[in-house]
Amino acid sequence: MSGHSTYEPKTAVERWIDTRLPIIRFGVDLMDFPTPKNLNYWWTFGGILAFCLVTQIVTGVILAMHFDPSGTGAFSSLQGIMRNVDYGWLIRYIHTTGASMFFVAVYIHIFRGIYYGSYKAPRELLWLIGAAIYLVMMATAFFGYVLPWGNMSFWGAKVITSIVGAVPVIGPSITTWLVGGFTVDAPTLNRFFSLHYLFPFIIAALVGLHIWALHVPGNSNPLGVDVKSKSDTVPFHPYYTVKDGFAIALFMILFAVFVFYMPNALLDTDNNIPANPLQTPAHIVPEWYLLPYYAILRAIPDKLSGVIALAGAIACIFALPFLDTSRVRSMRYRPQAKLYFFIFVVDCLVLGFCGAHEPNEQVIPGLTTFNLLDSDLNTYVWLSRIAAAYYFVYFLVITPILGLRETPLPVPESISSPVLSHPAAPPAGATASPEKKG
Amino acid sequence: MAESVVGAHADEAPDQDRRDFIHIAAMAAAVGGVAAVAWPLIDQMNPSADTLALSSIEYDVDKVPLGQQVVLLYRKQPLFVRHRTPQEIAEAVAGDHADLRDPATDASRVKPGKAEWLVLIGVCTHLGCTPGFDGGNLAPGHYGGWLCPCHGSVYDTSGRIRRGPAPLNLAVPDYVFETDTKIKVG
Ligand code: HEM
Ligand code: FES
């Protein structure tokens, strides 16, 4: 970790420990970490995510004590958890709701990063590690979703593992290898349980790297200007432990509303039917957090190209630090970028909405327009095509070009200056001079 | 020349070629070793012998009434056995001349003289869902065969892909007519 340590061992025992394993020093420095004083609530989602990970691991380890990962036993062992295990229903609902809450938090966290340019130098690796966490999270959630061995679990597993089969030549052998049979079956469930147990700990390790990478340059902040002096920062504790704690408390209220009042809102009713290899559910959809990608996959009427687009959509997130040419970090000073960003957020929601509907369904019911290529224009397949096009244009065209062509607003010199130079309260002897603000 | 202790050639440059050789040999041995250990760890995920041993099935097609189909389980996958009506066969043969994505004649997808029996693996070649029978629907964009609920692939009365994202026709498994009405699949 960067910066010098302020820790002074006070007792002989502490000194003894400190010279052998400076773990107390590590903790103290972590709490003392100089943090920009102007972080807003969008910065609390990191802490919220840590809370989510711990929640999933604790409830997951408990579920695993009662869960039977066999083709014949999985479905009924979950019924047992729901009916017979003391508080089993609570622990399972926290785990199922927790997966969704985790994704709510990670999406907000990612959009925060895009808006405030948190991925820009010197935080590119921090961003890449974050993107890797997101990828492993999606895999973990997918493996978890297969475990109840309901009919949606089964067919979801079948569709997702077939996506890999689109790879030319070796694809089908990879799918066979992945599922361990001619098709998804009991061996698939068994190995997915093993991986579902493993992956959260890989996430935990990546989170460690993420925080390490964060503590080298320190946090960015809503203004996007670097920390210039000690007066720009406050120690992490108590300022941000309290702020994060407050945000986590609010988040837990939302969490509890789902757990106690609508635990099935985010689950699929088809998953209350045991897996049936002969009957595909009439309306097959992934969990809500994967819907935008699902819409991109279906937007393209060709198997391989659809899969390439899906992979490309995720690759764009990884590539973002190298696509953005703007030297201004925060979009607070980039009015045009801000506009395209908000369209992008809406675009992602539209994609999610499309993913939840049948491709041939009409967007405006009862209106038949004209047939373009293979479908009527007033269908979800065309809406997803338009939305998918904007998704890629945003990353691959707007982000690189806008940074070179836009005129950003004047950026404050330091974190303290915009506060101190506020016209309503000109402080005596302010260090920053207003003329320089443009 | 300076005095030197035996074995300590301080003033001689190390023999770079010999060092490179040792580095390369050590790396090659390490990579080979890792690969040899990794392979069993990877290969164990392939289908196990008992999974591969799933045997063939026999079925008496006489049990399927005209214009209907049964769905059997073959190697844990749905198998369609369809008793086609003369109209379905006619449509399938007519489709031979259409612009097909995965060209195949109807005759090549049934056994000679047994055009009324269509045997298919009921796995959509897009992402593996099981298509439902489209009830002979011949409205525009439909071909009277199967419709996949997942992403809307449409198959004709010969099980050939006609519309939607699937790249290939529904697969015809290896099967033989053991008697006039009994098939053996696999
Ligand atoms: C990264 C964190 C995790 C995520 C995002 C996650 C996600 C999920 C999801 C979406 C399900 C399906 C729930 C359902 O539809 O019933 C599930 C089930 C399950 N998970 Fe996790 N999980 C995580 C961590 C863990 C951990 C650490 C364990 C245990 C070691 C675990 C054990 C289980 C078990 C046993 C089930 C089956 C029971 C059930 O479906 O409720 N999970 N998980
Ligand atoms: S799986 Fe059949 S259309 Fe996608």
Side-chain angles (χ1 to χ4, degrees):
Chain A
M1 309 278 150
S2 67
H4 65 280
S5 181
T6 54
Y7 172 67
E8 294 280 353
K10 283 183 200 67
T11 62
V13 177
E14 278 183 59
R15 261 193 304 281
W16 186 88
I17 295 175
D18 197 53
T19 47
R20 285 159 181 80
L21 176 69
I23 189 166
I24 303 177
R25 177 181 300 277
F26 181 81
V28 169
D29 290 349
L30 215 55
M31 284 297 124
D32 225 26
F33 190 72
T35 312
K37 63 184 179 184
N38 59 334
L39 299 189
N40 57 29
Y41 274 100
W42 299 115
W43 260 262
T44 60
F45 282 88
I48 290 173
L49 283 163
F51 164 77
C52 290
L53 180 61
V54 171
T55 307
Q56 289 310 92
I57 291 182
V58 170
T59 52
V61 168
I62 295 171
L63 286 172
M65 294 178 187
H66 306 279
F67 177 73
D68 170 8
S70 71
T72 45
F75 189 84
S76 48
S77 75
L78 266 192
Q79 303 306 312
I81 290 173
M82 294 302 287
R83 290 153 205 262
N84 305 334
V85 175
D86 285 348
Y87 293 108
W89 60 272
L90 178 64
I91 292 155
R92 174 162 183 242
Y93 280 152
I94 292 176
H95 197 77
T96 57
T97 308
S100 282
M101 299 305 287
F102 208 153
F103 278 94
V104 169
V106 87
Y107 282 129
I108 294 176
H109 194 66
I110 294 172
F111 281 127
R112 188 285 316 264
I114 298 177
Y115 184 82
Y116 291 110
S118 302
Y119 49 81
K120 288 188 210 190
R123 296 185 184 81
E124 299 94 327
L125 272 180
L126 175 59
W127 178 264
L128 289 178
I129 296 166
I133 293 174
Y134 172 54
L135 202 64
V136 182
M137 252 176 85
M138 288 196 283
T140 309
F142 163 64
F143 292 143
Y145 192 62
V146 176
L147 302 184
W149 213 230
N151 213 26
M152 198 54 95
S153 296
F154 180 89
W155 289 95
K158 205 156 169 177
V159 168
I160 305 264
T161 52
S162 307
I163 289 179
V164 186
V167 177
V169 189
I170 52 168
S173 332
I174 299 179
T175 301
T176 306
W177 172 78
L178 201 63
V179 304
F182 298 111
T183 182
V184 171
D185 195 21
T188 320
L189 170 63
N190 226 212
R191 63 188 57 191
F192 281 8
F193 176 60
S194 170
L195 296 175
H196 185 67
Y197 209 131
L198 169 68
F199 275 30
F201 296 94
I202 295 182
I203 296 178
L206 288 171
V207 169
L209 290 181
H210 195 65
I211 293 173
W212 186 6
L214 170 70
H215 281 198
V216 175
N219 297 76
S220 183
N221 64 81
L223 300 181
V225 296
D226 289 330
V227 167
K228 298 268 159 51
S229 68
K230 209 164 164 13
S231 70
D232 287 343
T233 67
V234 289
F236 185 76
H237 178 75
Y239 293 93
Y240 288 111
T241 43
V242 169
K243 189 164 185 155
D244 283 356
F246 179 63
I248 290 172
L250 292 181
F251 189 78
M252 282 166 83
I253 294 174
L254 179 67
F255 202 135
V257 168
F258 276 99
V259 170
F260 294 104
Y261 293 98
M262 36 185 169
N264 288 306
L266 299 167
L267 301 178
D268 203 296
T269 45
D270 272 299
N271 237 14
N272 295 325
I273 303 166
N276 178 354
L278 294 182
Q279 182 67 56
T280 308
H283 187 56
I284 181 162
V285 278
E287 294 278 82
W288 68 266
Y289 38 80
L290 302 177
L291 287 174
Y293 298 113
Y294 193 58
I296 291 175
L297 172 78
R298 293 194 306 186
I300 297 171
D302 172 75
K303 183 170 171 178
L304 181 59
S305 325
V307 173
I308 291 173
L310 170 73
I314 299 173
C316 282
I317 299 176
F318 279 87
L320 183 57
F322 313 102
L323 291 171
D324 192 348
T325 49
S326 168
R327 287 162 63 205
V328 177
R329 245 188 228 126
S330 172
M331 286 195 193
R332 202 173 267 193
Y333 304 104
R334 304 179 59 202
Q336 280 175 287
K338 207 188 263 189
L339 175 71
Y340 291 117
F341 170 81
F342 286 121
I343 299 176
F344 176 70
V345 175
V346 172
D347 187 65
C348 292
L349 296 173
V350 168
L351 277 173
F353 196 64
C354 291
H357 287 84
E358 300 285 339
N360 294 329
E361 220 176 297
Q362 292 179 324
V363 182
I364 307 162
L367 175 72
T368 306
T369 54
F370 58 92
N371 214 59
L372 191 58
L373 301 175
D374 57 350
S375 312
D376 191 85
L377 198 58
N378 179 31
T379 50
Y380 277 99
V381 73
W382 270 110
L383 186 60
S384 14
R385 280 174 192 165
I386 296 164
Y390 183 78
Y391 183 100
F392 286 106
V393 167
Y394 179 78
F395 280 107
L396 302 176
V397 181
I398 297 175
T399 302
I401 294 179
L402 190 64
L404 300 175
R405 309 197 60 173
E406 75 190 334
T407 319
L409 299 177
V411 176
E413 253 169 68
S414 76
I415 293 173
S416 305
S417 57
V419 188
L420 296 175
S421 67
H422 195 285
T431 44
S433 40
E435 318 83 75
K436 288 197 190 148
K437 303 285 126 30
Chain B
M1 197 189 182
E3 260 184 295
S4 66
V5 187
V6 177
H9 307 281
D11 50 348
E12 269 176 43
D15 183 342
Q16 206 54 51
D17 282 351
R18 287 177 64 173
R19 291 217 166 161
D20 285 350
F21 174 77
I22 289 170
H23 283 153
I24 292 166
M27 285 303 285
V31 168
V34 167
V37 173
W39 179 245
L41 299 181
I42 293 168
D43 186 47
Q44 51 79 25
M45 277 177 66
N46 273 318
S48 57
D50 56 336
T51 304
L52 288 174
L54 285 179
S55 55
S56 48
I57 55 169
E58 290 184 346
Y59 187 72
D60 195 352
V61 292
D62 236 12
K63 289 188 237 169
V64 191
L66 184 69
Q68 297 200 16
Q69 76 176 34
V70 294
V71 182
L72 308 172
L73 200 57
Y74 166 64
R75 294 186 173 167
K76 307 275 179 166
Q77 293 178 317
L79 183 80
F80 298 157
V81 179
R82 181 153 191 90
H83 192 168
R84 299 194 293 180
T85 60
Q87 195 206 349
E88 284 174 51
I89 298 169
E91 277 157 16
V93 173
D96 288 354
H97 308 292
D99 181 15
L100 295 172
R101 188 176 303 168
D102 180 13
T105 60
D106 187 54
S108 69
R109 297 174 58 79
V110 294
K111 298 293 170 201
K114 301 276 189 195
E116 66 269 42
W117 303 110
L118 183 63
V119 180
L120 298 171
I121 290 184
V123 175
C124 180
T125 57
H126 182 225
L127 295 176
C129 292
T130 295
F133 193 66
D134 205 11
N137 187 348
L138 287 171
H142 293 263
Y143 296 88
W146 287 264
L147 173 67
C148 183
C150 291
H151 320 101
S153 287
V154 181
Y155 298 89
D156 66 12
T157 53
S158 189
R160 290 173 300 209
I161 178 67
R162 300 300 288 268
R163 187 163 182 263
L168 299 173
N169 301 335
L170 290 177
V172 177
D174 284 334
Y175 72 100
V176 288
F177 274 91
E178 290 193 312
T179 70
D180 204 32
T181 59
K182 185 179 251 174
I183 57 168
K184 180 170 184 236
V185 187

